[in-house]
Amino acid sequence: MYGFVRLTRDVEERLTILFRQSKVIGGLYRSLGQEGESVAAAYALEATDAVLPLIRNLGALITMGVRPRDIFAQYMAKGPSPSRGRDLNIHFTHLPHPGAKEPVLVGPISMLGTSIPVAAGIALAAKMRGERRVSLVFIGDGAMSTGTFHEGMNFAAVQKLPMVVIAEDNKYAYSTPTSKQFAVPSIDQRAASYGVPHEMVDGNDMPAVYAAVKDAVDRARAGRGPALIGVDTMRMSGHAQHDDMRYVPKALLDEWAKKDPVTRFRARLVEQGIATGAALDGIDRRMKRYAADEADLAEQMPMPDPAEVAAGVYHGDHSAPRVEIVRQWRS
Ligand SMILES: Cc1ncc(C[n+]2csc(CCOP(=O)(O)OP(=O)(O)O)c2C)c(N)n1
């Protein structure tokens, strides 16, 4: 889990450099300071579960086995990227062939909130087919104010679907503070009106997120219906790289800087004698090198061939698997 969170941060740091070099096409949406919840939540899944990330959940994709080179290629709109240069950041879908030991990945849907009914649909299909698949979906505090969120939650609740929702209280939806987003004391309480079990966890405490999500996933898989886990975290960078976040008080950033999920998890592993500082330094070095090598590989990829650019847009290969999933180095 430490390797995955380290790699997520390294990949995003590398993406920031590529953005400043004008090699990233479009925006760059970092998860700085909240990488831990995405990684820990996805770590609680099995290989064939479904994940519906939003733009800030790169860590969940990396944990499920998506290679950094595909992410870099996607951000740079390269020809061999998962969406073949037709869309950006993590906007791609991976629908494995039946029987493949691979996850179902559905890219972020720009109309926020809509991922919830889609996640419910995947969970409904799994239930009807008698498959073990659980659908894990991430949603921001802003996206939870949309109508589709409520429709999807209610449907999943009454149908007792195997769906787990990670509701992120990262303090701002663009520049709108959470105080203008919900009136209940904590974000997880929004689930109460659907009769969905819910709890709030410290989103920057990776073992705590893992434990809560594992529990919810096990219950969902056993046919006991959906759950919602609220994560208390903080977006430590702008909505995207073009946002200087001047609307965020500095004191709030200072307070959350002390709770960084990567340094916290690292310190805990050492304190509890699970890993030595030297062993973790080794992982740090390996991940940095891996992110840099993967970025170089993606940089060398060609841009899309203009003659091919419309192929599969309206029909054809749009539902084909998009990435090669690598799981052998996961322990
Ligand atoms: C239905 C809808 N309304 C508005 C937008 C524009 N928009 C894109 S991202 C964003 C903020 C989202 O905030 P949140 O869901 O809290 O996620 P965060 O970016 O904080 O992780 C908004 C308002 C949209 N994409 N979809």
Side-chain angles (χ1 to χ4, degrees), residues 203-287:
N204 289 14
D205 178 345
M206 294 182 66
V209 176
Y210 171 81
V213 178
K214 180 80 173 71
D215 213 41
V217 164
D218 288 349
R219 270 190 281 124
R221 215 184 295 285
R224 291 171 56 206
L228 181 143
I229 315 283
V231 289
D232 183 24
T233 187
M234 177 72 194
R235 193 189 75 205
M236 297 298 284
S237 59
H239 172 73
Q241 287 296 299
H242 53 256
D243 167 20
D244 65 9
M245 62 191 307
R246 69 184 68 169
Y247 47 85
V248 181
K250 188 174 174 302
L252 190 63
L253 290 172
D254 291 346
E255 178 197 325
W256 279 91
K258 294 183 204 129
K259 301 191 249 182
D260 180 79
V262 183
T263 44
R264 250 174 98 182
F265 189 36
R266 189 185 216 285
R268 184 145 157 192
L269 290 170
V270 175
E271 258 167 45
Q272 296 186 346
I274 297 166
T276 62
L280 296 174
D281 287 346
I283 295 179
D284 290 351
R285 276 194 302 272
R286 231 173 44 238
M287 292 306 162

Side-chain angles (χ1 to χ4, degrees), residues 29 34 54-56 109-114 139-144 146 148 168 170-176 181 235 239:
Y29 304 85
Q34 59 176 94
L54 284 176
I55 47 177
R56 252 176 266 292
I109 304 173
S110 294
M111 283 68 67
L112 293 176
T114 313
I139 187 102
D141 44 271
M144 285 172 88
T146 61
T148 40
E168 299 171 333
N170 66 353
K171 309 298 172 271
Y172 287 88
Y174 213 126
S175 55
T176 304
Q181 208 62 250
R235 193 189 75 205
H239 172 73

Side-chain angles (χ1 to χ4, degrees), residues 45-210:
L45 296 177
E46 291 184 1
T48 54
D49 285 333
V51 179
L52 294 91
L54 284 176
I55 47 177
R56 252 176 266 292
N57 305 115
L58 173 63
L61 293 186
I62 286 182
T63 306
M64 293 311 282
V66 175
R67 291 174 309 178
R69 74 185 70 167
D70 284 324
I71 303 299
F72 287 120
Q74 186 70 12
Y75 265 100
M76 292 190 278
K78 296 288 188 163
S81 70
S83 67
R84 311 288 182 264
R86 296 170 194 127
D87 206 338
L88 304 166
N89 62 65
I90 56 170
H91 281 273
F92 61 89
T93 288
H94 180 76
L95 302 175
H97 298 300
K101 274 240 165 282
E102 290 182 12
V104 170
L105 305 172
V106 177
I109 304 173
S110 294
M111 283 68 67
L112 293 176
T114 313
S115 300
I116 300 288
V118 174
I122 293 170
L124 177 65
K127 187 177 172 178
M128 289 171 74
R129 292 176 185 156
E131 292 169 353
R132 286 175 53 76
R133 180 167 295 132
V134 170
S135 186
L136 178 78
V137 55
F138 292 86
I139 187 102
D141 44 271
M144 285 172 88
S145 298
T146 61
T148 40
F149 168 77
H150 302 286
E151 294 173 29
M153 282 301 293
N154 192 58
F155 182 75
V158 295
Q159 297 286 338
K160 279 204 164 306
L161 300 180
M163 177 175 95
V164 176
V165 180
I166 308 297
E168 299 171 333
D169 177 355
N170 66 353
K171 309 298 172 271
Y172 287 88
Y174 213 126
S175 55
T176 304
T178 41
S179 59
K180 295 270 185 289
Q181 208 62 250
F182 54 86
V184 283
S186 60
I187 201 167
D188 65 306
Q189 293 182 16
R190 285 179 150 191
S193 60
Y194 316 108
V196 167
H198 57 94
E199 68 176 298
M200 198 69 206
V201 295
D202 178 345
N204 289 14
D205 178 345
M206 294 182 66
V209 176
Y210 171 81

